Amino acid sequence: MFLEINHIDFLNNDEKNYLESLITEFVPDEEPYNIDGKFNQYTRKYIDTKNVENYLENIKKFAFRELSCNLKIMNCWVNEVKEGGNPNHNFHTDTSEFTAIVYLNENFDGGEFEYIDIKTGEQIVINPYKYKALFMNNKLYHRVLPV
């Protein structure tokens, strides 16, 4: 399952300002790792969910309305994708049942989201832009192309 949302804005202005401050003064909580088969190649900053409650509520409503599922938000974070930081990023699935991605900036080249269409096997490339939202389940093979 994959959905690309171009014209729905899940974030209010306060949430946008909060997230802008996180990416402007990015201080990571977690560095890339590969431990016991668990892998994360991005520098990660966890988000205080109290600062994005409206966003998370909109995600839950959207998932219920469009996907007929009740979500329980477990974690929320910002990944920093650095230039040259993901040169060999292979297709993978996520461990969470459902993933929502929102691009917070667009001042970079590359970083396209690529996934394999389950029905056709075709590789589909999605170009990022600020506040574009992507939604997927844990069966979708995907990757982020190099920045």
Side-chain angles (χ1 to χ4, degrees), residues 98-112:
F98 183 82
T99 299
I101 298 169
V102 175
Y103 288 93
L104 297 177
N105 61 5
E106 58 191 7
N107 56 343
F108 55 88
D109 292 320
E112 295 88 352

Side-chain angles (χ1 to χ4, degrees), residues 1-3 55 59 62-63 67 71 73 75 77 79 92-102 113 133-140 142:
M1 183 279 310
F2 176 80
L3 292 171
Y55 166 70
I59 294 289
F62 176 81
L67 309 170
L71 293 182
I73 307 292
N75 291 303
W77 61 81
N79 280 342
H92 65 279
T93 58
D94 290 344
T95 56
S96 59
E97 288 184 45
F98 183 82
T99 299
I101 298 169
V102 175
F113 182 89
L134 307 176
F135 301 91
M136 72 188 115
N137 66 12
N138 61 357
K139 305 210 182 332
L140 187 77
H142 64 279

Side-chain angles (χ1 to χ4, degrees), residues 22 25-30 43-46:
L22 285 182
E25 301 171 18
F26 193 84
V27 178
D29 295 319
E30 190 174 278
T43 304
R44 181 174 286 172
K45 173 72 178 171
Y46 286 92

Side-chain angles (χ1 to χ4, degrees), residues 49-86:
T49 56
K50 288 180 244 159
N51 292 316
V52 290
E53 286 178 328
N54 174 71
Y55 166 70
L56 297 177
E57 191 58 35
N58 285 337
I59 294 289
K60 288 179 188 179
K61 288 177 184 175
F62 176 81
F64 185 77
R65 184 180 67 246
E66 299 295 326
L67 309 170
S68 301
C69 65
N70 289 312
L71 293 182
K72 179 180 178 186
I73 307 292
M74 303 298 289
N75 291 303
C76 194
W77 61 81
V78 173
N79 280 342
E80 181 183 45
V81 180
K82 296 179 182 178
E83 187 174 341
N86 58 338

